[in-house]
């Protein structure tokens, strides 16, 4: 999946010693973005500066959602580091308060508990183990171009990477994949796919553990409609004894512009919620929240050396304070709507754009050939043209022809206008 927008060694003559040094010392499995890789050295708010002093608008970042170099986050991090940084086996009211703030964002009457981790992969890994313990099953249902992490368990359900089936066999997992619900109202056929996967598992005598879905199907290319389809899917999972793990690593923390969590746009009822990326605005922190009845199925004496340490907790509060006090949910909605409506107009004037969809600061644009076929090469050319114009975006989706645009929640009107102007110019140039 990461290969979609990556530098290849055949481009090496345009690349100086730094790239060769990387190759000499780092694993060759690391990817670099762009045909002409970027060397960012400094960043503030939504803007990144490279080593030559050139500035780029960051429209591909759901980690530093509340802004590069965010003062409140940096102060929280450094002040706490100066005081104390230790682990969760000591009394810490701020840790409890962070859990209360996060669980308080869930609807319904359930009692929720949390465990803090350092990465989204760790959170999903634990979620999968809880689901297996609780149900006694080893069957997982995922979409066919999903990303859920890099631990053994989570790679085994990461269908956007090759080798997941072999790994899942080795681990004794049963994986059923269903077509990504991406495209206009594809959520409807998603339910049919889910029913087929459940029937298939039953006919093979496999007990279901969980369906695990990114609530926005981000790596699949962004699947959002019709509203409510995820809720229907969750009911189906529950009716068949499976849990629903809402992977909120990408859509969580106000990105949707409508709700704090992505699944809330569907009114869905998850059993486990996993989160990460924007949670620490760059500080490595993540978490799993689960309905209290699942607590007995977590391994005894769970301990994570760094997860939930005092610095992580201070940072977690600062990020939530930023989102709440600066009304970033509303800002994501306002700026996201503006970007979407301008891109929609661009689509009307260009046959090579077949679909524009999004919610808040999660936006996808499908690029096609004149005949309407997926056009991955055209998408990459737009990504490169955007970079030349000083904007960073990337691609995703099953066919690699989807532009993935994830602006920061703190965009100003000027940032938004710059993104729109450059997108219009890049698309016109590529398809002139
Ligand atoms: C939907 C989703 N889940 C889980 C993960 C894994 O998170 P991490 O990279 O923090 O381990 C990612 C990372 O990209 C993700 O996009």
């Amino acid at each position: 999946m990461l290969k979609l927008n990556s530098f290849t060694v055949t481009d090496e003559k345009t690349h100086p010693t730094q790239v060769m040094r990387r190759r000499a010392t780092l694993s060759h499995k690391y990817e670099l973005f762009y045909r002409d890789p970027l060397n960012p050295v400094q960043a503030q708010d939504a803007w990144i500066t490279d080593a030559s002093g050139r500035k780029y608008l960051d429209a591909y970042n759901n980690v530093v959602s509340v802004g590069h170099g965010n003062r409140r986050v940096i102060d929280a991090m450094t002040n706490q580091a100066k005081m104390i940084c230790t682990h969760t086996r000591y009394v810490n009211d701020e840790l409890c308060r962070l859990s209360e703030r996060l669980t308080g964002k869930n609807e319904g009457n359930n009692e929720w508990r949390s465990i803090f981790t350092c990465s989204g992969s760790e959170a999903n890994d634990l979620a999968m183990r809880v689901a297996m313990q609780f149900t006694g099953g080893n069957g997982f249902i995922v979409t066919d171009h999903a990303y859920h992490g890099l631990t053994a368990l989570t790679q085994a359900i990461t269908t956007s990477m090759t080798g997941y089936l072999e790994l899942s066999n080795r681990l004794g997992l049963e994986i059923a994949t269903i077509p990504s619900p991406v495209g206009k109202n594809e959520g409807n056929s998603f339910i049919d796919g889910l029913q087929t996967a459940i029937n298939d598992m039953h006919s093979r005598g496999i007990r279901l553990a969980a369906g695990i879905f990114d609530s926005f199907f981000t790596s699949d290319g962004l699947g959002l409609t019709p509203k409510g389809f995820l809720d229907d899917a969750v009911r189906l999972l529950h009716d068949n004894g499976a849990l629903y793990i809402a992977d909120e690593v990408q859509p969580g923390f106000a990105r949707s512009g409508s709700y704090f969590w992505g699944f809330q746009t569907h009114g869905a009822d998850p059993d486990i919620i996993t989160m990460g990326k924007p949670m620490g605005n760059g500080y490595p922190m993540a978490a799993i929240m689960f309905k209290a009845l699942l607590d007995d199925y977590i391994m005894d004496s769970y301990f994570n050396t760094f997860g939930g340490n005092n610095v992580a907790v201070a940072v977690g509060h600062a990020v939530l304070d930023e989102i709440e006090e600066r009304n970033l949910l509303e800002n994501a909605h306002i700026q996201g709507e503006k970007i979407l409506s301008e891109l929609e107009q661009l689509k009307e004037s260009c046959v090579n754009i077949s679909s524009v969809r999004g919610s808040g600061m999660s936006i996808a644009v499908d690029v096609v050939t004149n005949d309407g076929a997926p056009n991955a090469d055209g998408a990459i050319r737009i990504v490169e043209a955007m970079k030349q114009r000083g904007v960073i975006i990337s691609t995703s989706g099953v066919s690699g022809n989807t532009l993935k645009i994830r602006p920061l929640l703190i965009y100003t009107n000027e940032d938004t206008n710059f993104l729109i102007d450059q997108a219009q110019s890049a698309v016109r140039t590529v398809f002139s």
Side-chain angles (χ1 to χ4, degrees):
M1 180 182 71
L2 295 172
K3 285 195 185 299
L4 290 179
N5 167 30
S6 65
F7 167 85
T8 54
V9 199
T10 50
D11 299 321
E12 100 189 20
K13 65 179 179 327
T14 55
H15 289 296
T17 44
Q18 285 149 309
V19 173
M20 291 309 117
R21 183 177 185 184
R22 239 178 105 96
R23 287 186 59 77
T25 191
L26 299 178
S27 165
H28 290 195
K29 300 294 175 188
Y30 274 127
E31 299 281 348
L32 268 173
F33 274 158
Y34 294 113
R35 292 189 176 142
D36 182 7
L38 199 65
N39 182 4
V41 291
Q42 203 258 326
Q44 188 61 47
D45 302 324
W47 290 83
I48 289 177
T49 311
D50 76 5
S52 72
R54 173 137 201 232
K55 285 190 185 306
Y56 296 86
L57 177 68
D58 192 351
Y60 190 65
N61 210 322
N62 62 353
V63 175
V64 288
S65 270
V66 299
H68 290 280
N70 182 292
R71 192 32 56 205
R72 191 195 303 241
V73 174
I74 292 169
D75 285 347
M77 194 185 303
T78 47
N79 290 340
Q80 185 59 51
K82 283 183 209 158
M83 294 274 289
I84 185 168
C85 183
T86 185
H87 55 70
T88 49
R89 286 194 168 165
Y90 298 105
V91 170
N92 177 358
D93 282 343
E94 284 298 279
L95 172 65
C96 302
R97 190 168 74 87
L98 184 58
S99 176
E100 287 159 6
R101 283 182 87 176
L102 287 166
T103 56
K105 296 192 180 298
N106 306 340
E107 283 152 7
N109 300 322
N110 291 296
E111 192 191 332
W112 291 83
R113 305 230 168 108
S114 343
I115 283 184
F116 291 86
T117 63
C118 305
S119 70
S121 302
E122 263 186 296
N124 279 337
D125 190 289
L126 182 58
M128 288 176 71
R129 284 189 285 145
V130 176
M132 286 192 280
Q133 282 292 113
F134 179 74
T135 59
N138 64 344
F140 287 92
I141 303 181
V142 287
T143 49
D144 60 7
H145 202 71
Y147 185 86
H148 292 296
L150 46 62
T151 64
L153 280 180
T154 55
Q155 279 259 279
I157 57 163
T158 285
T159 49
S160 59
M161 302 272 194
T162 50
Y164 79 93
L165 257 187
E166 191 196 336
L167 186 55
S168 60
N169 286 338
R170 273 205 225 147
L171 296 173
L173 299 181
E174 294 288 345
I175 311 297
T177 60
I178 51 179
S180 306
V182 172
K184 204 163 168 31
N185 292 332
E186 284 301 317
N188 290 327
S189 51
F190 177 78
I191 303 292
D192 297 339
L194 181 60
Q195 183 67 67
T196 307
I198 291 171
N199 294 346
D200 177 56
M201 289 252 179
H202 283 168
S203 70
R204 292 194 290 136
I206 296 161
R207 189 183 286 191
L208 277 165
I212 171 165
F213 307 121
D214 167 335
S215 314
F216 273 13
F217 302 90
T218 315
S219 297
D220 298 274
L222 211 61
L224 305 164
T225 54
K227 271 217 163 63
F229 82 86
L230 198 55
D231 183 35
D232 295 339
V234 174
R235 278 179 223 278
L236 199 51
L237 287 169
H238 286 163
D239 289 349
N240 286 278
L243 298 185
Y244 167 46
I245 301 169
D247 183 336
E248 287 284 335
V249 170
Q250 296 247 16
F253 284 77
R255 182 146 289 274
S256 76
S258 311
Y259 297 92
F260 190 82
W261 302 118
F263 66 81
Q264 289 170 323
T265 61
H266 291 283
D269 173 29
D271 303 289
I272 303 176
I273 303 165
T274 59
M275 67 202 81
K277 286 192 191 284
M279 190 177 183
N281 208 51
Y283 187 90
M285 66 182 296
I288 157 173
M289 282 184 327
F290 45 90
K291 289 179 178 165
L293 84 159
L294 297 173
D295 213 356
D296 287 342
Y297 301 86
I298 306 256
M299 62 190 276
D300 279 344
S301 305
Y302 180 91
F303 180 61
N304 189 319
T305 302
F306 302 115
N309 75 39
N310 307 64
V311 174
V313 169
V315 167
H317 280 298
V319 169
L320 290 179
D321 289 343
E322 283 288 273
I323 292 173
E324 288 166 9
E325 290 176 26
R326 290 172 66 185
N327 293 327
L328 294 183
L329 182 69
E330 192 186 352
N331 193 55
H333 176 72
I334 293 168
Q335 306 297 343
E337 284 295 301
K338 175 107 196 280
I339 298 167
L340 274 172
S341 79
E342 295 288 340
L343 291 178
E344 192 62 48
Q345 280 184 34
L346 186 59
K347 181 189 122 195
E348 296 309 316
S349 65
C350 178
V351 290
N352 301 100
I353 304 291
S354 64
S355 166
V356 171
R357 52 191 178 276
S359 176
M361 292 307 216
S362 267
I363 295 162
V365 176
D366 288 344
V367 181
V368 292
T369 61
N370 290 346
D371 305 330
N375 186 353
D377 178 61
I380 286 293
R381 285 194 290 135
I382 293 174
V383 169
E384 294 286 343
M386 290 289 274
K387 177 164 167 268
Q388 279 163 15
R389 288 163 175 74
V391 182
I392 295 175
I393 62 166
S394 194
T395 56
S396 73
V398 181
S399 306
N401 68 318
T402 303
L403 300 178
K404 191 175 182 183
I405 305 175
R406 291 178 307 193
L408 279 53
L409 304 186
I410 51 140
Y411 262 35
T412 60
N413 291 338
E414 289 72 35
D415 298 332
T416 295
N417 290 339
F418 187 79
L419 170 66
I420 293 164
D421 289 347
Q422 304 319 315
Q424 288 165 341
S425 160
V427 168
R428 285 193 190 118
T429 302
V430 167
F431 292 112
S432 61

